[in-house]
Amino acid sequence: MKVIVLGAGVIGVTSAWYLTQAGHQVTVIERQPGAGLETSYANGGQISVSHAEPWANPAAPAKVMRWLFREDAPLLFRLRADLQQWLWGLAFLRECLPARARRNTVQLVKLGLYSRAELTRLRRATGIQNDQLECGILHFFTEPDAHAHAGETAALMRAHGCDLELKRAEEVIAIEPALRPIAGSLLGATYTPSDQSGDAYLFTARLAALAAERGCEFLYNTAIEGLERSAERISGVRIRDDSGSRVLRADAYVVALASYSPALLRPLGIRVCVYPAKGYSVTVPITDESRAPRVSLIDESLKIVVSRLGARLRIAGTAEFAGHDLSINRTRCEAILRRAQTLFPGAFDASQAQFWTGLRPATPGNVPLIGRTRLPNLYLNTGHGTLGWTLACGSGRALADIIGGRPPEVAFEFLRGRP
Ligand SMILES: Cc1cc2nc3c(=O)[nH]c(=O)nc-3n(C[C@H](O)[C@H](O)[C@H](O)COP(=O)(O)OP(=O)(O)OC[C@H]3O[C@@H](n4cnc5c(N)ncnc54)[C@H](O)[C@@H]3O)c2cc1C
């Protein structure tokens, strides 16, 4: 079958990889000059099944209200005259209901476990290297409310196969001695030994190169302008490159355009609730190995994650709902850098900090949209929100199975012709 994949982020590239491996003739279209150059470029680096609890949970509405006008808030809604933002916000509130939050968590744990195992298999099969570390993830707490809630989430995740363990403050320091500077304020943590970290960009770019060696075609510097429909099928994709505009045709089309997916789908009458949740990362060179963590970390108080990527430390996080604006807000970046300096004094050179921002393609409950739409040759692999790197290999493999007519190996609620 001839398949066109729209978008070469980590989701489009993993989809293309598994489709190519399954024997399909695959073309990937991407506006950037290479793979992984937008949201997948400088994310937190975590393969974090343990971070499956979505932002939309029963505690969220009170926190969001408290943070509403704080420029350095971890989760900030910048209220705009934007209908999509308000519709998304209302849907987010519904996903905060306890039963829905539990259901979403379980969905994400199932897909996350499958995806992490697929990543490990892929890495063994290809030898791909991306500054990965398999040291687990420590999610630590310095605030009593969040710490009190940790046990409940841990029990739910453990019940669904995630090996998340509760740790006391002194055990946390034993697992990651680089946290010693904040030992006095540590209340405890959860630790997931099987979680991992690694550079999502290196992975995406290297996997794209391996896919190209196996016959997958990549059209870079090529903008997708629209999908053409004939009766109840997609008949082509309109693209524009240096040589002008033309239509490419295939048997099946996969939309992996992250937060730009809704705009492409809307003219077809297909409505998907994916809104950009802007996040920041700061990457610094490590100057003192002994003070920098090796275990990947989640700091619940500021909602940031920390990963060691080779000789660099990547600190990432916070979310701002403000449309597709990609300008860098220094206040938010400096809040992240300050926290990193408190956690790991003397570990890195802050004067060489690189600030980056990306738009997480967020669904209200953080559960991605994977599967076939009501147009039988149009498929989605989008809306991976805070967990796109974690969920990429599982999502790509499962989508390739669906397109190939095989049942996916993971019990996840895939789309069944709904949108
Ligand atoms: C600050 C931050 C930290 C994060 N940390 C983590 C983490 O630790 N772990 C984790 O699992 N996830 C994390 N994420 C989330 C993860 O990065 C995303 O979910 C993931 O990158 C989404 O991948 P994608 O392929 O869907 O999107 P993208 O990488 O954005 O890919 C979409 C592609 O589509 C292309 N495109 C869009 N429109 C067009 C068009 N019209 N024509 C042609 N091409 C087009 C874009 O150029 C882009 O390359 C983080 C995100 C952020 C912002």
Side-chain angles (χ1 to χ4, degrees):
M1 203 192 298
K2 184 165 173 27
V3 186
I4 292 182
V5 176
L6 309 177
V10 70
I11 300 297
V13 169
T14 47
S15 305
W17 167 261
Y18 288 105
L19 285 162
T20 304
Q21 289 292 91
H24 300 291
Q25 188 190 336
V26 183
T27 299
V28 183
I29 306 174
E30 167 60 50
R31 63 183 168 196
Q32 297 289 346
L37 291 172
E38 293 210 0
T39 319
S40 306
Y41 185 65
N43 69 19
Q46 293 195 324
I47 299 295
S48 48
V49 182
S50 57
H51 210 185
E53 187 185 32
W55 285 333
N57 61 58
K63 284 188 192 164
V64 170
M65 290 309 287
R66 203 167 64 228
W67 289 331
L68 210 45
F69 299 106
R70 242 183 63 191
E71 200 48 46
D72 62 352
L75 210 74
L76 176 62
F77 274 88
R78 281 192 202 283
L79 299 177
R80 294 153 41 105
D82 172 356
L83 178 65
Q84 301 311 320
Q85 189 198 42
W86 285 82
L87 291 174
W88 192 95
L90 287 173
F92 176 87
L93 284 177
R94 197 183 59 220
E95 299 304 320
C96 292
L97 294 170
R100 294 193 78 96
R102 279 176 74 86
R103 189 169 135 245
N104 293 337
T105 305
V106 172
Q107 286 283 300
L108 291 167
V109 171
K110 285 183 182 166
L111 185 58
L113 289 171
Y114 175 64
S115 196
R116 200 179 59 195
E118 275 302 316
L119 169 64
T120 305
R121 261 194 290 279
L122 190 155
R123 192 175 276 139
R124 285 209 187 105
T126 59
I128 204 164
Q129 297 294 313
N130 62 322
D131 284 336
Q132 70 272 17
L133 282 175
E134 298 188 5
C135 302
I137 291 184
L138 256 178
H139 184 163
F140 66 85
F141 302 93
T142 52
E143 291 170 342
D145 286 0
H147 185 224
H149 173 65
E152 196 187 314
T153 312
L156 177 64
M157 299 219 196
R158 266 199 309 273
H160 291 275
C162 181
D163 57 339
L164 194 135
E165 305 158 5
L166 287 172
K167 297 289 178 196
R168 294 189 311 275
E170 58 276 20
E171 294 174 304
V172 175
I173 303 291
I175 295 168
E176 183 42 80
L179 282 174
R180 211 179 293 283
I182 58 148
S185 56
L186 260 183
L187 297 175
T190 62
Y191 179 51
T192 311
S194 55
D195 271 343
Q196 312 175 4
S197 56
D199 189 322
Y201 164 68
L202 284 183
F203 176 84
T204 308
R206 289 176 179 170
L207 191 65
L210 287 175
E213 278 173 21
R214 285 162 169 76
C216 178
E217 179 186 28
F218 285 84
L219 302 181
Y220 292 121
N221 295 308
T222 303
I224 296 150
E225 296 189 322
L227 287 167
E228 295 193 347
R229 178 177 173 171
S230 146
E232 285 306 296
R233 295 179 72 77
I234 297 299
S235 55
V237 54
R238 225 176 325 107
I239 58 163
R240 177 175 289 278
D241 59 16
D242 282 350
S243 56
S245 187
R246 63 199 154 109
V247 175
L248 295 184
R249 303 198 190 280
D251 303 304
Y253 302 80
V254 176
V255 177
L257 295 178
S259 50
Y260 300 91
S261 307
L264 185 81
L265 295 166
R266 211 170 292 131
L268 303 166
I270 295 179
R271 299 198 179 275
V272 293
C273 200
V274 178
Y275 193 82
K278 183 177 183 177
Y280 291 93
S281 75
V282 179
T283 307
V284 285
I286 294 171
T287 48
D288 184 344
E289 294 261 331
S290 67
R291 292 169 188 253
R294 285 182 63 78
V295 176
S296 190
L297 303 168
I298 302 171
D299 175 356
E300 179 62 28
S301 68
L302 216 65
K303 299 217 177 295
I304 57 172
V305 307
V306 183
S307 294
R308 184 192 281 219
L309 303 171
R312 302 162 295 155
L313 205 59
R314 166 84 43 80
I315 312 104
T318 82
E320 191 178 339
F321 295 85
H324 287 84
D325 164 48
L326 272 169
S327 58
I328 300 255
N329 176 321
R330 285 198 77 87
T331 309
R332 294 179 77 73
C333 290
E334 275 155 16
I336 295 176
L337 191 57
R338 258 197 319 278
R339 181 63 176 164
Q341 285 170 311
T342 307
L343 294 173
F344 314 112
F348 56 83
D349 182 356
S351 72
Q352 291 191 52
Q354 291 176 349
F355 295 155
W356 171 85
T357 184
L359 303 174
R360 300 177 188 89
T363 62
N366 209 34
V367 177
L369 307 170
I370 309 167
R372 192 166 70 89
T373 66
R374 63 190 150 76
L375 302 182
N377 66 342
L378 179 63
Y379 297 84
L380 305 186
N381 199 359
T382 188
H384 291 73
T386 62
L387 289 176
W389 169 215
T390 305
L391 302 177
C393 289
S395 304
R397 168 73 205 272
L399 187 71
D401 284 341
I402 292 171
I403 293 177
R406 292 176 300 276
E409 290 172 347
V410 52
F412 175 79
E413 285 179 16
F414 294 100
L415 302 172
R416 283 191 208 91
R418 269 178 285 130

